[in-house]
Amino acid sequence: MTTYARIGFIGLGVMGEPICRNLVRKSGAHVVAFDLAPEPLARLREEGGSVARSVAEVVAGSDIVFLCLPSAKHVHSVFGGDGIEKNIRKGQIVVDLGTSSIKLTRDFARQLQACGAAWADAPIARTRQAALDGTLSVMVGATVELFGSIEPLIRCFATDVTLCGDVGAGQVTKILNNMVLFQTVNALAEAVAVARRNGVDPKLLLETLSKGSADSFALRNHGLKAIVPGNFPERAFSTEYALKDLSYALELAAEAGIRIRGAELVGEVLREAIEAGSGGAYFPVIAKHIDGA
């Protein structure tokens, strides 16, 4: 299904591990992975993947390298030193699945282009369950030619794959997706708090809203599955990561000369939750702090 015989994968976290597992199962290629934690590497080896001892070893042993890391800071750490930049070869491709800085994304792409290699941003959306099921949505920034060559591999773990434009466009689209999501979750949290204080059952409220114009993916997932039951686990999409992604949207708006006051307000809500000790919890935990109960 692909011309890439050897796939590298860096970052076996909450989303990265199931994505990599789907590549092992469906790509028909040899997959070699690296992570700082030994447990996901051991599980991947059981699935038939190989384990590398370093980022350099992944790059050296791959035709294409996928990154699934938490932030631009982490991407920068594997790019420099004895990492991607030092070991990349002409013709290799790096695909970044995380949500990251647009400026850094375009800087990395220029540096790889100078080496005869290529960088594509392909941030992922949807839930961990979607990563497990291989039904993620992926927003790609790449040339048309590069997109055509990597799309079959991305479809090993995604059902919706959209070319959003040249390098960086995938990041712009994903950042704005998250900005809208955070504001929607904040609205749901406020609605639940007001309903509870006025004698209306929060579950009934959201189930009823789901039958009308207020329905959304956020309502059915973040609202009914997290806010209503008070389920805000660690090792999910944390409040700190949410604020990080929102900061990218605020930077984009500032550079465009636009003030996005709704996003600014949600940024304050996220900061307050972090200051109250919920930085590592699943970000709909803002509902707990809005309600105060």
Side-chain angles (χ1 to χ4, degrees):
M1 66 175 290
T2 176
T3 57
Y4 304 112
R6 302 174 301 169
I7 299 171
F9 203 99
I10 300 170
L12 300 180
V14 172
M15 301 294 277
E17 182 180 352
I19 290 171
C20 189
R21 186 180 300 118
N22 276 313
L23 283 168
V24 171
R25 292 174 177 174
K26 302 176 186 178
S27 69
H30 174 73
V31 179
V32 58
F34 173 73
D35 193 90
L36 295 176
E39 295 84 1
L41 290 171
R43 290 191 291 268
L44 185 70
R45 186 185 281 115
E46 291 176 359
E47 291 281 345
S50 296
V51 171
R53 293 167 294 182
S54 66
V55 171
E57 189 175 327
V58 171
V59 177
S62 306
D63 303 311
I64 182 170
V65 178
F66 287 89
L67 310 178
C68 195
L69 298 165
S71 70
K73 177 181 72 176
H74 297 87
V75 175
H76 194 275
S77 70
V78 302
F79 190 85
D82 189 22
I84 292 168
E85 185 180 22
K86 182 177 179 180
N87 295 282
I88 200 78
R89 304 185 308 279
K90 184 177 179 179
Q92 278 185 298
I93 295 168
V94 177
V95 182
D96 183 11
L97 302 176
T99 307
S100 189
S101 159
I102 293 140
K103 181 181 182 303
L104 269 182
T105 294
R106 289 174 174 157
D107 284 347
F108 293 150
R110 280 191 289 269
Q111 290 177 66
L112 291 200
Q113 187 176 30
C115 303
W119 182 283
D121 49 304
I124 54 175
R126 297 185 180 146
T127 62
R128 174 171 169 76
Q129 188 60 52
L132 291 164
D133 296 339
T135 58
L136 291 167
S137 173
V138 180
M139 307 162 204
V140 183
T143 64
V144 173
E145 294 76 17
L146 180 56
F147 176 74
S149 72
I150 65 177
E151 184 186 7
L153 287 182
I154 294 174
R155 288 198 176 275
C156 290
F157 52 84
T159 49
D160 292 285
V161 185
T162 306
L163 177 60
C164 300
D166 211 340
V167 173
Q171 294 292 358
V172 172
T173 306
K174 174 62 191 306
I175 287 164
L176 296 178
N177 172 87
N178 285 9
M179 181 191 78
V180 172
L181 171 64
F182 302 149
Q183 293 186 66
T184 305
V185 170
N186 183 69
L188 292 167
E190 292 177 346
V192 164
V194 173
R196 183 180 285 117
R197 298 298 179 89
N198 284 276
V200 174
D201 175 63
K203 185 171 185 289
L204 181 143
L205 171 77
L206 295 191
E207 287 178 343
T208 303
L209 295 185
S210 74
K211 300 170 186 175
S213 56
D215 186 28
S216 68
F217 176 90
L219 187 154
R220 285 175 271 112
N221 287 274
H222 302 79
L224 285 168
K225 296 177 183 178
I227 293 173
V228 168
N231 183 28
F232 314 119
E234 303 284 326
R235 283 188 56 78
F237 191 82
S238 73
T239 312
E240 290 174 344
Y241 287 162
L243 182 59
K244 178 264 298 182
D245 285 3
L246 189 66
S247 72
Y248 294 148
L250 293 168
E251 288 172 11
L252 280 175
E255 289 166 3
I258 300 168
R259 185 178 180 190
I260 47 176
R261 285 173 285 185
E264 290 174 358
L265 176 60
V266 173
E268 293 177 17
V269 173
L270 292 168
R271 284 188 200 92
E272 289 169 2
I274 292 168
E275 290 168 3
S278 295
Y282 187 33
F283 81 91
V285 74
I286 60 174
K288 183 175 75 173
H289 299 285
I290 289 169
D291 194 314

